[in-house]
Amino acid sequence: MKRLRERIAGLRVTLWTLIVPPSMWAGHFLFSYLWAALNCAKVGEFATFPTLFAVGTAIALAVIVAAGWVAHVQANRKGDTPPHDSGTEIDRLRFLATATVLLAALSFIGVVFTAMPVIFLTDCR
């Protein structure tokens, strides 16, 4: 576990890393609506247990949690003590990592709320 933490600490959080959680949320949102539209058009009702949808939701949540965990490890790196008057490289890294953690939390909640109608609704009306 410590070795994995050290390898993650060696990674760099960038703007590309920052957009992974909201991109997964958007992809899951699109997947949800397409799944519902196709299922209602072809079958006329939702499946009793939508296996494909559950797998897609689990994959989206796993990617979001992984991105959030990597960012969390990066955000807790040692650096200068406050106030951060000079914008050092580690301060910028910790800022991006903290923003990524917050976006990962928001995206996780968004994916769960997007999945709820499929879980609770059984009719296409």
Side-chain angles (χ1 to χ4, degrees):
M1 184 71 158
K2 183 174 175 145
R3 182 176 150 98
L4 179 63
R5 214 176 210 351
E6 289 171 359
R7 288 189 68 188
I8 290 172
L11 296 174
R12 292 185 45 88
V13 175
T14 62
L15 286 176
W16 290 107
T17 312
L18 184 74
I19 64 169
V20 168
S23 297
M24 288 305 298
W25 179 14
H28 181 266
F29 191 79
L30 178 66
F31 172 70
S32 300
Y33 274 86
L34 287 175
W35 182 85
L38 289 174
N39 212 16
C40 285
K42 298 286 185 182
V43 181
E45 62 183 23
F46 287 144
T48 53
F49 182 74
T51 307
L52 178 64
F53 185 79
V55 169
T57 300
I59 289 171
L61 291 175
V63 170
I64 290 170
V65 166
W69 189 61
V70 168
H72 175 70
V73 170
Q74 291 286 321
N76 290 328
R77 289 182 68 181
K78 300 279 189 248
D80 299 339
T81 58
H84 303 291
D85 294 335
S86 60
T88 62
E89 184 70 25
I90 192 69
D91 290 338
R92 285 190 292 272
L93 176 82
R94 289 193 319 211
F95 172 76
L96 279 175
T98 302
T100 303
V101 168
L102 294 173
L103 273 173
L106 178 66
S107 299
F108 187 91
I109 292 167
V111 167
V112 169
F113 273 89
T114 303
M116 277 188 182
V118 175
I119 294 169
F120 291 117
L121 299 178
T122 58
D123 195 11
C124 289
R125 288 185 276 169

